[in-house]
Amino acid sequence: MGRAKTPLRYPGGKQRLSPFIEEILIENNIKNGHYVEPYAGGAGVGMELLLTKKVSNIHLNDSDFGIYCFWYAVLNRTEELCQMIKSASMAVDEWRKRKEIVKKCDRRKKLELGFSVFYLNRCNRSGILSAGIIGGLDQSGNYKMDARFSRNDLIRRIETIAQFKDNIFLTNFDAEYYIKNYIPNLPQESLIYLDPPYYEKGCKLYLNAYKKNDHARLSKVIQDEINLNWILSYDGVSDILELYNERRHFLYDLQYTAAKVYKGKEIFIFSDRLRIPQKSVIEHINIGIKELSSI
Ligand SMILES: C[S@@+](CC[C@H](N)C(=O)[O-])C[C@H]1O[C@@H](n2cnc3c(N)ncnc32)[C@H](O)[C@@H]1O
């Protein structure tokens, strides 16, 4: 799998699951096909699969305009974005300015907004846009705000991704709209991976989060409207198990960082026609399965 391909830090980022998703692609004859993330965020899995040529095209969607602008700038304003990263000031005043730009969210200034989202993502604790700056406002912490801002490496990642821009289809829709209006036009050789905001931790981690009834409505849209193969990941809470109790699923433990390191019990849910690969692959990426259910 190698080093991270995405330039964004994402709490709960799923890049580690790429070998498992790749096995699913092989098992279902979707190799060299289309891979689709309606909740793209940092798109860790998508970038890994595209850059290592496991799929031919990726479709990334995120309803957060700032995140969309970042990816827009990577694909369409590559040179200017890299120049901004190269010359970015690592000072608390600059961080305040970037925070203000993200807050104002002027939709006419996509490059400025995209860069500012990236800046906060790299300079804030755990990459969370609403969190504080690494090292604190007085920069007295052990780590300073530039601890995660390795310019050359980040520029290299962005330039590499931009080389694939003809194979990346970026949109800024609400996921339910995307499922109903975009996904039906995709070829059969597609895999949809849905990673919505978590049910319980969601509102703490992202700027936009679903409420309970949104998750319930989404579960109907996913199960009734997607005619292609899909996989869904969530936090493994009983309400989610209830919403998807007719689908095959398994629970697993995936350790990740979001302010503190903690062990998350997560769930994978599968569309009915999807062939699920062997357990060995899951062991290979070191996530522990709690239960495999095929109700
Ligand atoms: C759990 S994160 C996805 C993380 C991603 N899988 C990764 O590895 O980086 C959820 C993403 O969904 C986006 N999002 C939240 N609500 C949405 C909605 N209604 N429609 C589309 N995207 C949404 C958020 O902006 C966030 O980037």
Side-chain angles (χ1 to χ4, degrees):
M1 198 164 67
R3 290 158 61 179
K5 308 282 190 297
T6 172
L8 287 182
R9 304 165 65 211
Y10 244 80
K14 297 298 192 302
Q15 188 172 343
R16 273 182 60 201
L17 298 176
S18 303
F20 178 54
I21 308 276
E22 191 191 334
E23 281 294 318
I24 290 181
L25 290 166
I26 295 168
E27 191 81 22
N28 290 275
N29 297 323
I30 322 179
K31 256 204 136 188
N32 297 319
H34 294 239
Y35 171 80
V36 188
E37 291 195 22
Y39 300 88
V45 177
M47 288 307 163
E48 177 70 30
L49 295 174
L50 183 68
L51 270 52
T52 56
K53 305 209 166 106
K54 304 296 187 318
V55 293
S56 62
N57 294 284
I58 61 173
H59 300 255
L60 304 180
N61 176 69
D62 202 292
S63 66
D64 186 308
F65 189 64
I67 299 291
Y68 164 80
C69 285
F70 168 70
W71 286 118
Y72 170 87
V74 169
L75 302 178
N76 301 294
R77 311 283 296 268
T78 319
E79 258 189 69
E80 292 149 287
L81 178 66
C82 290
Q83 193 50 48
M84 287 167 102
I85 295 171
K86 210 172 184 172
S87 58
S89 154
M90 286 290 119
V92 174
D93 279 353
E94 180 69 17
W95 177 81
R96 285 207 170 94
K97 180 179 147 192
R98 296 293 153 201
K99 211 170 149 66
E100 206 45 41
I101 291 172
V102 171
K103 198 170 143 201
K104 277 201 184 120
C105 193
D106 184 341
R107 299 179 75 89
R108 294 165 303 179
K109 298 185 177 166
K110 286 195 199 140
L111 174 63
E112 192 70 13
L113 186 54
F115 170 68
S116 302
V117 163
F118 173 75
Y119 187 97
L120 295 187
N121 176 270
R122 301 302 316 184
C123 295
N124 282 8
R125 288 197 304 273
S126 301
I128 298 175
L129 291 189
S130 58
I133 186 169
I134 300 171
L137 286 173
D138 57 2
Q139 288 293 284
S140 61
N142 287 342
Y143 291 98
K144 313 292 179 211
M145 62 183 288
D146 64 353
R148 301 268 181 247
F149 208 95
S150 45
R151 296 173 205 259
N152 291 343
D153 179 42
L154 294 168
I155 289 171
R156 184 192 49 76
R157 287 188 219 179
I158 289 169
E159 286 175 343
T160 307
I161 291 169
Q163 285 170 13
F164 288 80
K165 71 176 191 180
D166 293 341
N167 306 94
I168 302 174
F169 299 89
L170 177 67
T171 47
N172 178 222
F173 297 128
D174 177 78
E176 285 173 54
Y177 178 90
Y178 188 77
I179 291 170
K180 289 177 186 168
N181 296 283
Y182 187 96
I183 289 183
N185 298 319
L186 291 169
Q188 272 302 312
E189 297 75 36
S190 299
L191 178 69
I192 323 292
Y193 171 38
L194 304 116
D195 185 24
Y198 289 129
Y199 190 76
E200 281 185 343
K201 298 163 230 151
C203 49
K204 294 194 196 100
L205 294 180
Y206 306 105
L207 290 184
N208 45 6
Y210 283 143
K211 300 203 171 48
K212 283 190 176 181
N213 58 331
D214 298 319
H215 288 285
R217 196 186 55 249
L218 175 67
S219 78
K220 271 195 77 58
V221 175
I222 291 175
Q223 296 178 90
D224 295 351
E225 308 243 2
I226 305 185
N227 285 323
L228 298 167
N229 279 315
W230 56 263
I231 321 165
L232 169 68
S233 56
Y234 254 118
D235 39 346
V237 296
S238 57
D239 285 1
I240 292 297
L241 285 163
E242 184 67 28
L243 288 173
Y244 293 92
N245 65 359
E246 288 177 15
R247 305 275 86 75
R248 292 167 302 162
H249 60 265
F250 65 68
L251 287 161
Y252 64 97
D253 284 336
L254 176 66
Q255 210 177 25
Y256 63 89
T257 311
K260 278 185 215 134
V261 174
Y262 60 92
K263 265 208 153 179
K265 195 165 70 158
E266 314 242 338
I267 186 169
F268 256 127
I269 302 158
F270 305 95
S271 62
D272 290 348
R273 278 185 294 127
L274 192 88
R275 286 194 296 274
I276 304 174
Q278 297 306 304
K279 222 172 153 183
S280 59
V281 181
I282 296 147
E283 281 158 6
H284 169 68
I285 55 172
N286 202 22
I287 52 179
I289 294 197
K290 287 287 175 218
E291 177 191 321
L292 180 59
S293 162
S294 50
I295 299 163

